[in-house]
Amino acid sequence: MGDRWDIFCKVVDNYGDIGVAWRLARILASEHELDVRLWVDDLAALARIWPAVSDRLPSQRVAGVQVQLWSEPFPRVDSADVVIETFQCAVPQTYVESMAARPIRPSWINLDYLSAETWISGCHGLPSPHPLLPLTRYFYFPGFDPATGGLLHERGLEAQRATFLSDPRTLERYWAQYELALPARGELRVNLFCYPQAPVAELFSHWARGTTRITALMPAGAAAEHLRAALAPGSAIDGWIERGAARLKIIPFCDQTEFDRLLWACHVNFVRGEDSFVRAQWARRAFVWNIYPQGENAHWIKLHAFLDRYTAGTSPRLSGAIRHIWRAWNGLAAPGELSAAWECFAAERNALARHATRWAEELACPEDLAAGLVKFCARIGK
Ligand code: TRH
């Protein structure tokens, strides 16, 4: 297997597709010293999560990765030694032909979406021969058990997190960017990254009526706009929304590295989709997942598959606290149940944090998804 890798990414919506592709590209380039080219059809989406990328340059080198705009018609280029198609995005036909014309065929991978469902381990690594050309594509599934492709995880991530959290001056500077001091005793800092369907206004109103001081930071986007329209129409985008015991600020998107710091710094993280969901697990904090909604509520199966793994072996009390709020947050509970769900969750905060640490320790293995992929491609490329 050679050192040239091409990763293809089509942005379906939001930032998860490019979020995963970009993280993988960066890890392959920095930790495995590979020559990585990332083809993406929406540079603006990448620039949102990595502002060093320009949405005007069709070809640029950033963070050790060659970023290329995937435009149509696709240019005639030599195919790489390894070709990663993310989320079945369909590599351009002319490129596939160039793969078939190589004397040594490239290793061709479809990197699929993450799911905790048990069938994933049976399909991970399966070959799919091309119907016409002498090429085989392999399915690569991220997942939560050793029979899957695992999860993306940078080397040294825990050490970075520990260093960040152990230095009060760093933390002071961190919070100061949002005009905040270090959290007061008893105060909860919450990150609210979710889809517009999540009942944020209901939760915020509940916090407002409570006695715990809650400070929420909400990344800008459709959900934040809905909330502002509901609670404080016409207010300044970067102002605080304050009600009773709760206050909330809409914050600009930051880059992926800085987003990790937000997850580490907050006591509770509301996350969504795929990549922020995984990062919340590495952050070792209590978290609530807003799963990406799919037709016919297919996502509820995925939600429960993860809940089954995540709560396995926990006490009925802890498991109940997690399940209750996750279900309410994803539209699976009766109206009005969210307040009670939050109270149970908040009451278990310390146990949840301990559980989150145990979970992250169990999940982290010496070989992350990128390292496993490098080995897998070397094997199939022989
Ligand atoms: O943005 P998402 O909802 O993305 C997706 C896509 O919708 C995709 O089509 C869908 O299939 C998938 O979810 C399941 O959520 P996600 O996956 O968490 O991606 C967000 C990315 O944005 C992640 O890489 C973290 C990054 N991010 C930043 O870098 N800075 C920020 O300030 C924020 C809020 C996020």
Side-chain angles (χ1 to χ4, degrees):
M1 183 193 73
D3 283 353
R4 288 174 49 239
W5 286 49
D6 270 342
I7 301 176
F8 286 84
C9 176
K10 266 197 182 140
V11 176
V12 178
D13 62 0
N14 303 327
Y15 306 99
D17 311 283
I18 188 59
V20 170
W22 178 238
R23 193 178 296 288
L24 172 65
R26 286 194 292 120
I27 296 178
L28 290 171
S30 65
E31 297 181 13
H32 301 276
E33 290 165 20
L34 295 166
D35 183 0
V36 182
R37 206 161 42 169
L38 171 65
W39 296 91
V40 56
D41 68 342
D42 182 348
L43 286 171
L46 176 54
R48 189 102 195 267
I49 60 164
W50 204 266
V53 168
S54 160
D55 59 357
R56 288 157 187 239
L57 291 176
S59 177
Q60 55 196 305
R61 195 156 186 88
V62 182
V65 175
Q66 187 60 38
V67 178
Q68 297 286 143
L69 176 64
W70 177 352
S71 53
E72 298 291 347
F74 194 75
R76 291 224 157 257
V77 293
D78 285 344
S79 57
D81 306 307
V82 176
V83 179
I84 310 287
E85 191 173 57
T86 57
F87 315 120
Q88 300 175 22
C89 66
V91 169
Q93 184 56 28
T94 51
Y95 187 93
V96 175
E97 284 158 12
S98 86
M99 286 162 68
R102 285 171 55 122
I104 300 174
R105 315 266 189 261
S107 303
W108 185 9
I109 303 287
N110 174 65
L111 177 65
D112 226 301
Y113 287 111
L114 169 64
S115 171
E117 291 162 288
T118 46
W119 62 265
I120 297 294
S121 49
C123 296
H124 172 62
L126 288 183
S128 164
H130 194 282
L132 303 171
L133 298 168
L135 289 169
T136 299
R137 193 166 56 142
Y138 290 82
F139 291 101
Y140 210 83
F141 282 91
F144 295 93
D145 66 59
T148 67
L151 302 168
L152 288 171
H153 180 281
E154 296 81 354
R155 276 183 210 145
L157 188 64
E158 271 72 48
Q160 284 170 30
R161 176 184 171 278
T163 307
F164 173 77
L165 290 176
S166 65
D167 179 9
R169 274 194 301 271
T170 304
L171 286 170
E172 252 173 48
R173 274 198 302 275
Y174 181 79
W175 288 117
Q177 68 178 311
Y178 302 121
E179 303 157 333
L180 291 167
L182 290 173
R185 216 181 152 76
E187 177 190 356
L188 278 187
R189 294 268 159 100
V190 180
N191 153 48
L192 268 178
F193 184 43
C194 59
Y195 296 115
Q197 297 89 333
V200 200
E202 189 184 337
L203 185 61
F204 187 75
S205 305
H206 174 71
W207 289 343
R209 292 190 298 270
T211 49
T212 304
R213 180 75 168 140
I214 297 192
T215 303
L217 297 175
M218 188 167 190
E225 274 318 304
H226 271 69
L227 185 77
R228 199 160 67 96
L231 293 179
S235 64
I237 178 85
D238 59 349
W240 284 97
I241 299 173
E242 305 217 39
R243 300 278 184 284
R247 58 181 168 168
L248 179 143
K249 189 180 181 67
I250 298 172
I251 58 171
F253 257 57
C254 51
D255 72 28
Q256 279 185 328
T257 313
E258 200 55 30
F259 183 64
D260 275 337
R261 298 204 180 96
L262 176 67
L263 298 170
W264 301 339
C266 287
H267 301 110
V268 177
N269 288 303
F270 286 76
V271 286
R272 71 184 203 191
E274 175 164 331
D275 193 51
S276 62
F277 165 58
V278 173
R279 305 315 284 182
Q281 293 169 63
W282 300 138
R284 304 175 173 214
R285 297 288 194 202
F287 77 105
V288 182
W289 183 28
N290 194 192
I291 189 168
Y292 184 73
Q294 286 178 285
E296 292 166 20
N297 292 326
H299 57 291
W300 286 347
I301 295 170
K302 292 185 181 173
L303 180 81
H304 287 116
F306 181 76
L307 276 172
D308 289 346
R309 284 181 193 270
Y310 191 60
T311 60
T314 59
S315 68
R317 212 177 135 114
L318 197 66
S319 166
I322 298 168
R323 283 173 184 274
H324 200 180
I325 191 154
W326 283 43
R327 287 171 54 85
W329 196 242
N330 286 285
L332 269 155
E337 271 191 41
L338 184 61
S339 299
W342 168 259
E343 289 308 319
C344 292
F345 188 78
E348 294 298 327
R349 205 191 113 207
N350 293 334
L352 284 163
R354 285 194 298 275
H355 175 60
T357 301
R358 265 196 313 274
W359 173 257
E361 279 165 359
E362 274 167 28
L363 270 190
C365 54
E367 198 172 87
D368 86 317
L369 187 144
L373 193 54
V374 170
K375 273 199 190 158
F376 183 82
C377 292
R379 190 150 46 82
I380 60 172
K382 273 189 187 147

